[in-house]
Amino acid sequence: MLAKLNTTFTRVTDHPDFGKLLLRLTFGILILFHGVAKMENGVGWIAKMLQAAGLPGFIAYGAYIGEVIAPVLIILGIFTRPAALVMAFNILVAVLLVVAGKFFTVTEVGAWGLEGEALYFFGGLVIMFLGSGRYSVMKNEALR
């Protein structure tokens, strides 16, 4: 009986392309919020951190690529794999610049100090490995 119930449930819920769309929309929209904040408030504070680390400040403008352009591409399903890699790299740079000190911390509720950042980073990698799936604005597979 359980096997039949599981088989029925699997048949009803077996929609990997919809799952890929939901994953893309979730991560793309959530990262895009960060990008909108950068567009409203600028990236000057990031440039200062980069310069303090001995790096050129203009690299801060890469946040627009990783938090605005890449998420939009991911949402639309265009160049999804490279865009997801850019998004994951962007999160990695943000962690190294801003919150690396939380690596060995645990919050009051038992969460890892970098839990949210890890979720975005690995989410980007998952999207990169899965690709856009069927639901994309591009029909040409080479552009998805």
Side-chain angles (χ1 to χ4, degrees):
M1 172 151 149
L2 286 177
K4 183 175 177 160
L5 185 61
N6 187 50
T7 301
T8 303
F9 182 76
T10 300
R11 189 175 58 250
V12 170
T13 60
D14 187 21
H15 301 285
D17 287 313
F18 181 73
K20 291 175 185 179
L21 173 65
L22 188 57
L23 186 71
R24 286 186 5 243
L25 291 175
T26 300
F27 280 91
I29 290 169
L30 291 176
I31 289 291
L32 192 56
F33 278 111
H34 294 263
V36 169
K38 304 281 187 316
M39 290 178 3
E40 290 176 346
N41 302 310
V43 293
W45 62 278
I46 299 171
K48 289 178 185 173
M49 280 193 289
L50 287 164
Q51 291 167 340
L55 297 168
F58 74 86
I59 296 174
Y61 291 98
Y64 293 124
I65 296 169
E67 296 180 15
V68 176
I69 296 171
V72 168
L73 292 174
I74 289 168
I75 290 166
L76 297 174
I78 304 171
F79 299 114
T80 305
R81 293 175 194 268
L85 178 63
V86 167
M87 185 180 82
F89 180 76
N90 182 76
I91 296 299
L92 183 62
V93 171
V95 165
L96 294 174
L97 282 175
V98 182
V99 291
K102 293 183 179 180
F103 193 84
F104 295 106
T105 64
V106 176
T107 69
E108 299 160 357
V109 295
W112 180 34
L114 295 175
E115 188 172 284
E117 292 82 358
L119 186 63
Y120 285 126
F121 175 75
F122 288 110
L125 293 182
V126 168
I127 293 168
M128 180 187 73
F129 288 120
L130 289 176
S132 65
R134 174 185 198 187
Y135 303 118
S136 167
V137 298
M138 302 301 294
K139 293 296 177 198
N140 185 344
E141 183 68 32
L143 299 177
R144 288 198 254 164

